Amino acid sequence: MKYGLYYYKNTQNLGDDIWAYAQSLFYPQIDYLIDNTTVYKFKSKDNEKVASIFSAFIEPYNNEYSFFPPSNIIPFFIGSYFRPTMFEFLDTLPMQSYLSKYSPIGCRTRELAELFEEKGIAAYFSGCISLTLPNMNKKKQNYICLVDVPEYIVDFVKNKVGSRYELKLMTHDIDDIQAHSELSIEERFEIVKNHLEIYAGAHCVVTSRLHVALPCLTQNTPVLLTVTDEAKVGVNDMDRRMKDFFPMLNQCRYSDFLNDKVSYDFVSPTP
């Protein structure tokens, strides 16, 4: 059997490489790279069969986009998230037949699993593939990571901890998308592992990123997930994507920082 890594070649968010890295750990080797935005164009040598974990997001990107992978790909759906832009396709017989063939579909949200079940497609809530990352067993150090949060949140944490902890300001934004896309998958995964090691050694982490918060859980690193109250900021289905993970996490809203309603203890953080 050959194996293909399903990933997002032209991502602008390191979180996409994190879920791809989590997938990669289940393969004995990676024979092919399968870009999730052009999966329908994928070709293997002599049309050989290629097994692939289909995790993370699935959505149409342009008018030529067709979701259906070629028949030589054997998909395993787990941690999959179909964006609302795909929902209309779930009512079509070809889509329902394809997904039923490879069911049950492991979904990243309960809402999506219920939607599939309503349409006669066996599905279940699997959670996110990033929750399978192995623990690096890093000793906690004297720093707090603040990942993709506004400056006023940085100031808030600084006022709470004073000089007791170093604050590491980090981002998952990728500035040069083209340059990043041209890196080998091994180079991209080295960047991922470097970030994960930093999170694993942190006293605690404050972030707006789901793919920072969930990996922190795998490293036993205390983490506070904070999300915006604003509509139409970032991915417009943010709450839908995140809400099933809120019970796993300490979480609050940006407005809680502005209104001094954050009860999280950054010196003695809740596990």
Side-chain angles (χ1 to χ4, degrees):
M1 177 65 69
K2 299 296 184 180
Y3 300 92
L5 178 71
Y6 184 77
Y7 79 126
Y8 185 8
K9 180 178 180 179
N10 296 305
T11 185
Q12 59 184 3
N13 176 4
L14 188 67
D16 292 320
D17 282 359
I18 288 177
W19 57 252
Y21 174 66
Q23 290 175 175
S24 76
L25 299 179
F26 289 95
Y27 295 124
Q29 77 274 342
I30 297 172
D31 303 295
Y32 293 97
L33 296 177
I34 303 173
D35 182 4
N36 70 345
T37 64
T38 56
V39 60
Y40 62 103
K41 294 181 179 180
F42 174 78
K43 296 183 184 299
S44 61
K45 183 180 179 181
D46 299 326
N47 203 38
E48 62 186 347
K49 295 290 186 182
V50 179
S52 183
I53 297 170
F54 275 32
S55 187
F57 64 94
I58 298 168
E59 85 174 323
Y61 281 82
N62 51 52
N63 292 331
E64 72 164 337
Y65 181 88
S66 170
F67 162 70
F68 296 105
S71 59
N72 62 318
I73 290 182
I74 304 171
F76 177 58
F77 289 92
I78 186 166
S80 301
Y81 185 71
F82 287 65
R83 291 265 173 84
T85 45
M86 285 291 289
F87 289 175
E88 62 182 291
F89 299 114
L90 295 179
D91 290 322
T92 65
L93 184 58
M95 177 65 85
Q96 291 180 359
S97 297
Y98 179 82
L99 292 173
S100 293
K101 181 180 179 180
Y102 296 106
S103 65
I105 306 298
C107 299
R108 206 166 78 182
T109 67
R110 288 185 173 86
E111 183 178 288
L112 185 60
E114 291 168 0
L115 177 63
F116 280 177
E117 289 283 352
E118 289 171 5
K119 297 182 182 300
I121 303 166
Y124 66 100
F125 172 57
S126 67
C128 180
I129 196 79
S130 63
L131 286 170
T132 66
L133 289 166
N135 193 308
M136 295 178 171
N137 296 310
K138 291 286 184 180
K139 182 179 179 181
K140 302 307 179 190
Q141 299 180 47
N142 209 44
Y143 62 83
I144 295 172
C145 295
L146 297 141
V147 191
D148 290 314
V149 295
E151 188 173 347
Y152 58 81
I153 292 180
V154 175
D155 292 338
F156 184 97
V157 176
K158 188 180 297 184
N159 288 334
K160 292 293 183 180
V161 303
S163 60
R164 283 172 285 190
Y165 298 96
E166 174 191 356
L167 301 187
K168 288 184 181 289
L169 307 188
M170 301 175 65
T171 182
H172 274 202
D173 289 334
I174 293 170
D175 292 331
D176 193 332
I177 297 172
Q178 180 63 34
H180 188 77
S181 72
E182 293 173 356
L183 296 175
S184 69
I185 199 65
E186 291 79 13
E187 290 171 318
R188 290 170 67 150
F189 285 169
E190 282 303 313
I191 297 171
V192 167
K193 286 186 279 188
N194 179 63
H195 277 69
L196 292 177
E197 286 181 358
I198 294 172
Y199 302 150
H203 174 71
C204 69
V205 173
V206 183
T207 184
S208 63
R209 299 282 196 179
L210 187 63
H211 285 107
V212 174
L214 297 185
C216 282
L217 295 183
T218 70
Q219 306 306 312
N220 294 328
T221 298
V223 59
L224 175 64
L225 175 69
T226 180
V227 294
T228 180
D229 299 280
E230 298 177 54
K232 297 181 181 179
V233 173
V235 178
N236 58 15
D237 57 344
M238 181 173 60
D239 271 350
R240 179 180 284 146
R241 288 189 302 121
M242 291 187 172
K243 66 182 180 182
D244 287 314
F245 301 103
F246 284 168
M248 296 178 167
L249 297 158
N250 298 294
Q251 52 89 20
C252 66
R253 298 278 173 168
Y254 282 8
S255 57
D256 294 328
F257 285 93
L258 292 171
N259 298 320
D260 198 18
K261 292 183 178 180
V262 176
S263 59
Y264 193 77
D265 187 340
F266 301 98
V267 176
S268 301
T270 304

